[in-house]
Amino acid sequence: MEEARDFLLRLTPKLSLSPDPSSEFSVSLGITPETHTPDQVLNMAEEIAIRKGKYITICIDEFQQVGEWTDSRSIQARMRAAWQHHQHASYCLFGSKQHMMSAIFLNRSMPFYQFGDLIWLQKIPVSDWLPYIISHFKHGNRCISNDLATRICEEVECYPSYVQHLASIIYNMTAEGNTVTEDMIAPAISQLISTNEMLYMQQVEPLSAYQMNLLRAIVSGIHIGFNEKKVRKSFDLGSPSNFVRLRDALIHADLIYSEMKQLYITDPVFSLWFRRRFS
């Protein structure tokens, strides 16, 4: 309480109200240049840890957004200059966009190069999903078999948000006291795709014909050998030199990713939608 009081007294409270009477209001505590210098903010966790005789871990999600800030390089340099000397505060920096995180931590010219240990998180395995899904259905007085719970995971390639979303759709399709059946899976997937269709349309709208063709090739099951004459002709990918530009543009747009020199669609439900609409 003493730490909170010391910290909060220097902050500027902000109240946000919406003209919509049904909307909630929010209260936030703003850090401004008048209350804290940048160095004070960056060193705050270390100072609190030392003062309390504790070790603190600061977790920052979607850290790749730092790379999109104006004057990002100097901001990153300032962060590293402060954090690399901390002995009582550690930093766990998460990011969902691999190519952007790589640009921050694997580029020799960037301040965060070799800042700490890099851990590439693997997908949550089906074996871990099954008890989670089955227990939630059971809690709602519904039943789902191991096989169909496995199908939910496999249809969206164990992508966490989609596993939960698809499971939720099927849960709501199942009346209380009933059991999930095989014929629920297909319409549930269609509903999941439909829910995200506007987002997917926005993602492909700015793409060139060649970029769309490369997506078609990957969705069709081709992951390597894009410069082979047969593949280029079948999908109209243009010249071999053109492929590099296509690949890099789609990786930058986070529509595909590269793994062991093979290309894959980043979003599994986008892949299902694209196959239905453009293949």
Side-chain angles (χ1 to χ4, degrees):
M1 288 299 295
E2 290 176 0
E3 294 295 333
R5 189 179 301 110
D6 178 55
F7 177 64
L8 295 176
L9 284 175
R10 295 180 290 163
L11 296 184
T12 307
K14 298 177 182 179
L15 179 65
S16 300
L17 296 171
S18 170
D20 184 353
S22 64
S23 297
E24 298 180 356
F25 67 90
S26 63
V27 179
S28 61
L29 298 169
I31 293 179
T32 69
E34 289 75 28
T35 61
H36 297 78
T37 66
D39 289 336
Q40 283 179 308
V41 175
L42 294 174
N43 289 308
M44 188 175 295
E46 177 75 359
E47 291 176 0
I48 292 174
I50 292 172
R51 197 157 56 199
K52 299 299 292 183
K54 304 284 186 181
Y55 288 94
I56 294 176
T57 300
I58 303 296
C59 299
I60 304 178
D61 199 7
E62 300 300 343
F63 189 76
Q64 77 273 350
Q65 292 181 10
V66 170
E68 299 178 334
W69 292 352
T70 302
D71 199 19
S72 172
R73 187 185 294 267
S74 65
I75 294 172
Q76 292 179 46
R78 197 161 194 171
M79 287 178 171
R80 173 158 188 159
W83 293 350
Q84 68 184 353
H85 297 295
H86 292 178
Q87 301 296 315
H88 297 76
S90 300
Y91 297 85
C92 192
L93 311 174
F94 302 91
S96 59
K97 296 187 177 181
Q98 182 175 326
H99 73 283
M100 295 177 69
M101 291 292 282
S102 296
I104 293 174
F105 293 101
L106 297 180
N107 189 331
R108 292 178 180 272
S109 66
M110 297 301 288
F112 274 108
Y113 178 67
Q114 292 189 336
F115 176 69
D117 295 331
L118 292 177
I119 302 174
W120 301 109
L121 298 179
Q122 303 302 310
K123 293 178 180 178
I124 299 172
V126 173
S127 58
D128 287 342
W129 276 116
L130 291 182
Y132 172 81
I133 295 171
I134 293 170
S135 65
H136 276 269
F137 273 78
K138 184 177 180 180
H139 183 73
N141 194 24
R142 294 160 173 83
C143 182
I144 184 170
S145 67
N146 270 31
D147 288 345
L148 292 183
T150 299
R151 276 282 304 279
I152 289 174
C153 301
E154 291 177 344
E155 289 288 349
V156 295
E157 300 176 15
C158 291
Y159 200 98
S161 60
Y162 287 140
V163 170
Q164 295 180 80
H165 193 174
L166 183 57
S168 175
I169 292 171
I170 294 172
Y171 178 95
N172 291 327
M173 292 171 64
T174 309
E176 189 172 349
N178 286 1
T179 299
V180 176
T181 58
E182 174 77 25
D183 60 4
M184 293 180 179
I185 303 295
I189 292 172
S190 294
Q191 184 176 333
L192 177 63
I193 293 172
S194 178
T195 301
N196 293 280
E197 185 164 27
M198 287 302 297
L199 169 63
Y200 301 149
M201 288 297 294
Q202 290 175 2
Q203 289 177 318
V204 301
E205 198 171 76
L207 301 183
S208 69
Y210 283 129
Q211 289 169 341
M212 291 289 285
N213 290 343
L214 180 53
L215 288 177
R216 285 190 183 93
I218 299 171
V219 165
S220 72
I222 296 174
H223 304 292
I224 198 170
F226 296 96
N227 280 332
E228 294 177 5
K229 186 175 180 179
K230 182 180 178 180
V231 175
R232 286 192 288 109
K233 185 176 180 180
S234 297
F235 293 96
D236 189 17
L237 299 177
S239 65
S241 60
N242 190 45
F243 165 72
V244 176
R245 291 191 295 271
L246 299 179
R247 179 200 62 196
D248 292 348
L250 292 179
I251 289 177
H252 183 74
D254 202 37
L255 290 173
I256 66 173
Y257 68 95
S258 176
E259 185 174 278
M260 301 296 290
K261 297 184 178 181
Q262 298 189 50
L263 299 182
Y264 299 92
I265 302 294
T266 303
D267 185 326
V269 179
F270 172 88
S271 181
L272 294 173
W273 170 80
F274 192 92
R275 186 178 294 113
R276 294 186 180 189
R277 288 294 300 266
F278 299 105
S279 296

